[in-house]
Each structure stands twice: as C-alpha cells, then as structure tokens.
Amino acid sequence: YTILVADDSRLVTSTITSLLKKLGCEQIHCAYKPLDVIAKCRQNQFDLIICDYNFQSFINGFQLLEELNHLKLLPSHTAFMFLTGENDLRVVRSIIDAEPDDYLLKPFKNQFFIDRLTNAIKRKRALLPIYEQHIKHDYYAVIEACKECLETRPEYSKLIRKFKANALVRCKEYHSARTEYEQMLNEDNFDWIKTALANTFIETDDVNRAKEILETVKSKDDNPYYHDEMSSIAVLNSDLPQAIMHLKQSAMLLDSGAERELVIANLSLANENYDDAVTYMTRYYEKNKNTFRGSVFTQLNLVRSYLYKAKGVKNLSLFERQLHSLNPLIDEVRKRPSLEHVHRLIISHIALIR
C-alpha cells in the first residue's frame, strides 16, 4: 500500500510510520501541514490517508477533506481516516459530518488502530464500484452499483443501502428513497435515518409527516441534522426567524459546518436582519477564505451584507472606515470581467449610501 500520514506532530507521524512498517508497508509519505497534504496528493495516488483533524493551522481537517474532494485529488480507491486527540463533541460531530471512511480518537491501542485501518481499506476495495460512480456524481450509476454490491457484498448491506438511499434523493426519487429509509428504520432505530426520512417528506412538501418523524428523534437539542430539517420546514412555512434560529443551533453544534453560516447570512438578509447577516457572512468568509469556498462570490456576498447594513446609516465616517476595509474585496470583484455589471451595482449602492 502507498500511505500518507499527515499530522503536525512529528512524534505522531513517526509512531504511526514505525507501526505501519512493522506491518510490511514501505511506501509511506509524511505531511505536517494542510498545504503539504494537498501537494503530496497532487504528486501521488494513495491507498490510505491517515490525517490529523486539527493541524493548528488556517484550515482544519473538515476543510482539508473538502478541499481535496473539490480539487479531485482523492481517487475512488483511496481510504481516508481522521485522527483526533480531541473528544469535544463539536469536533466529533464535524468529523462525522465530513464523511471520512473512518476516524479514531487518540490515544489508541496499536492493534485497534491496525484493525480499523485494515477494515477501512478492505471496505473501500469491496465497495469500489459504488465509489467509482459516486466520485463522478453519477447517482443513477451509484444506484445500479449498489444493487450489484448488495448481492456480492452482503456483509456491507447497511452501508450500501445508505449509499443507495442518498443516491435516490440526489436523483429526486424521493418516494423510492423514502421506502429505503423506512425499511432501514424498521431494523435500526437511529436518529440519522429519521432525519434523512423526514427530508424526503420535506422535499415533497409533506411538512406534517416530516414533523411527526422529527418529533421521534431522541436527541433533538444536540443533533445538527434535526435542526437542519426543522429549519427547512420553517422556510417552507415562510417563518424565517424560526429557520434562522434552528440553523444557528445547528452551527453551534459543529466545529465546521459547511454552508450553514452562509445560509444563515442569506436568510438574515431576506429577513432584513442586517446585523446577523454581516456577523455570519463574516464568520463564513474568515473561516473559509483559504479554501475554495472563499471565492470572489463569497467576497461579493460579504460586501453585499455590509452595504445592506449601511442602509440609512447616520454615521458616514464609520461607514467610510468599514468601506476602506472592504475595498480589497470590491477590487477583486472589479477584476472579473464577468462581474463588471455587479461591480457597477456596488459602486451605485455606495453612492446611494453616501
């Protein structure tokens, strides 16, 4: 196997490398920073990546895995495993939200570590037909691959059915996905199945049935997916304050939350709560400015939030100071020929405020 061990602690990388060598692994690479991980993945195709979650760097493990997927640097056969020394539930939830192939809390016993990484590689190889289609975002092909793997790899049936149900949702086959989730729920009374099932009813505007299912979730307060679905229901009911409240709760439960803060900012704009719009858009930008999410469009949304907040401002000197800090972002918009009309709108908006 070709393996990448990524951790900001050289003691950790050295310990894991020694353990892997005892297992007969020879092609072992090490990385100590997120950018090193990305560079190594550009140069090599790994069978296994063992990666720390918290690099004490400008991006965390959640963002790093997102970045690798966005850049298409993870082949379908690569198993990705997180390590973390933190038992903070916010971090653990974020790791699960990132959907790695596995994760381990440090410290761990050597044999337990070996068993987990061996199983991760074995599972990835066994379900490779599914992962090959999933990486292409060909969800109809994912469904067909799942049907085949259910026959050939029944030992992974629960994971395969989860993939199949998710693919059906992606294909907007909500009634078929609902059937899958209902069958899974009959076998396992898990909250993640309930929130996924509720989502299929939300997508078909059956809000009452979705609320009935969500009411059965055991751990509502500390379940971000419960709050995500309750927020979606509130949006359908045109109750933006309630939608925002649930998404804020969801974001608080996670160390990293993908686009939740962005959605809160946009809902706050729609609700004319410009202070919240600026707060959450700033958080989203600051957290993601070193990733693909920190694009010119994110910068544009941040500028837009500040300009809406400045509507009717009485202290123009304060506005000018804020505008000075926004000028580099506005300049990035100006540099894009495709956004020339947007830049003109920004300049007009500023003129109206003045």
Side-chain angles (χ1 to χ4, degrees), residues 307-351:
L307 293 181
Y308 274 112
K309 182 181 178 181
K311 183 180 178 181
V313 68
K314 296 179 180 179
N315 188 340
L316 277 178
S317 61
L318 174 61
F319 170 68
E320 293 297 341
R321 287 197 297 273
Q322 291 175 336
L323 185 60
H324 180 74
S325 67
L326 294 175
N327 279 335
L329 305 183
I330 297 172
D331 199 45
E332 287 299 316
V333 176
R334 180 190 60 78
K335 291 176 184 177
R336 300 291 184 98
S338 62
L339 296 177
E340 181 183 353
H341 65 293
V342 177
H343 182 257
R344 288 201 301 269
L345 285 172
I346 291 173
I347 299 305
S348 299
H349 198 154
I350 292 170

Side-chain angles (χ1 to χ4, degrees), residues 165-205:
N166 178 264
L168 286 165
V169 169
R170 299 272 190 165
C171 295
K172 302 187 185 301
E173 301 282 351
Y174 299 119
H175 290 89
S176 296
R178 185 176 303 157
T179 300
E180 289 289 335
Y181 285 126
E182 285 172 342
Q183 291 174 354
M184 285 190 274
L185 191 58
N186 285 335
E187 299 169 17
D188 296 297
N189 191 34
F190 294 147
D191 280 350
W192 75 262
I193 304 176
K194 295 174 185 176
T195 54
L197 176 59
N199 176 260
T200 67
F201 284 101
I202 293 170
E203 292 291 348
T204 53
D205 295 334

Side-chain angles (χ1 to χ4, degrees), residues 41-53:
C41 288
R42 289 188 190 278
Q43 298 163 3
N44 305 275
Q45 288 198 350
F46 296 102
D47 298 296
L48 174 66
I49 298 176
I50 303 168
C51 184
D52 186 33
Y53 178 81

Side-chain angles (χ1 to χ4, degrees), residues 81-92:
M81 176 184 289
F82 272 129
L83 299 180
T84 180
E86 301 180 56
N87 56 8
D88 181 348
L89 284 177
R90 294 176 68 249
V91 171
V92 174

Side-chain angles (χ1 to χ4, degrees), residues 31-300:
Y32 307 100
K33 299 177 182 178
L35 289 180
D36 293 342
V37 176
I38 293 171
K40 295 280 186 182
C41 288
R42 289 188 190 278
Q43 298 163 3
N44 305 275
Q45 288 198 350
F46 296 102
D47 298 296
L48 174 66
I49 298 176
I50 303 168
C51 184
D52 186 33
Y53 178 81
N54 190 353
F55 279 90
Q56 304 295 330
S57 182
F58 55 88
I59 62 174
N60 59 29
F62 182 99
Q63 294 167 308
L64 176 57
L65 181 52
E66 265 202 334
E67 199 75 5
L68 291 172
N69 283 320
H70 176 74
L71 296 171
K72 295 180 169 54
L73 295 178
L74 289 182
S76 53
H77 70 270
T78 301
F80 191 100
M81 176 184 289
F82 272 129
L83 299 180
T84 180
E86 301 180 56
N87 56 8
D88 181 348
L89 284 177
R90 294 176 68 249
V91 171
V92 174
R93 291 190 196 105
S94 295
I95 289 174
I96 295 170
D97 202 37
E99 298 185 328
D101 293 292
D102 207 344
Y103 70 95
L104 285 177
L105 296 176
K106 297 181 285 188
F108 44 75
K109 294 183 179 180
N110 289 352
Q111 190 57 50
F112 181 71
F113 170 72
I114 292 168
D115 290 343
R116 290 290 284 268
L117 70 87
T118 301
N119 288 336
I121 295 173
K122 182 181 176 183
R123 183 170 57 248
K124 197 82 175 188
R125 295 290 172 91
L127 303 183
L128 190 57
I130 297 174
Y131 289 107
E132 286 175 337
Q133 301 307 325
H134 194 271
I135 204 171
K136 299 175 188 175
H137 305 292
D138 186 345
Y139 296 108
Y140 284 106
V142 169
I143 295 167
E144 292 305 312
C146 286
K147 292 176 182 177
E148 293 176 14
C149 287
L150 279 170
E151 295 182 3
T152 59
R153 295 291 184 175
E155 66 271 28
Y156 299 115
S157 62
K158 291 186 179 182
L159 178 58
I160 295 169
R161 290 162 68 191
K162 183 178 181 180
F163 268 114
K164 183 183 177 185
N166 178 264
L168 286 165
V169 169
R170 299 272 190 165
C171 295
K172 302 187 185 301
E173 301 282 351
Y174 299 119
H175 290 89
S176 296
R178 185 176 303 157
T179 300
E180 289 289 335
Y181 285 126
E182 285 172 342
Q183 291 174 354
M184 285 190 274
L185 191 58
N186 285 335
E187 299 169 17
D188 296 297
N189 191 34
F190 294 147
D191 280 350
W192 75 262
I193 304 176
K194 295 174 185 176
T195 54
L197 176 59
N199 176 260
T200 67
F201 284 101
I202 293 170
E203 292 291 348
T204 53
D205 295 334
D206 192 344
V207 170
N208 290 333
R209 183 66 183 121
K211 289 172 73 173
E212 288 174 6
I213 295 165
L214 291 171
E215 190 58 36
T216 68
V217 170
K218 294 187 289 292
S219 302
K220 295 183 182 68
D221 291 344
D222 59 359
N223 188 325
Y225 309 111
Y226 166 81
H227 291 289
D228 289 344
E229 302 306 335
M230 288 299 293
S231 178
S232 296
I233 289 173
V235 169
L236 287 177
N237 289 333
S238 300
D239 188 346
L240 295 187
Q242 187 76 1
I244 292 167
M245 183 274 290
H246 277 293
L247 273 183
K248 285 182 178 180
Q249 185 65 26
S250 180
M252 286 173 57
L253 291 168
L254 295 156
D255 177 61
S256 286
E259 295 187 340
R260 289 178 178 89
E261 281 140 341
L262 175 61
V263 177
I264 293 170
N266 286 330
L267 288 175
S268 297
L269 282 176
N271 199 44
E272 299 185 359
N273 185 340
Y274 302 128
D275 286 336
D276 268 8
V278 168
T279 296
Y280 280 90
M281 198 63 235
T282 301
R283 286 184 193 177
Y284 181 78
Y285 175 67
E286 290 297 328
K287 188 183 292 184
N288 293 290
K289 63 184 178 182
N290 294 301
T291 75
F292 74 94
R293 291 184 180 276
S295 68
V296 66
F297 297 103
T298 298
Q299 296 169 3
L300 173 59

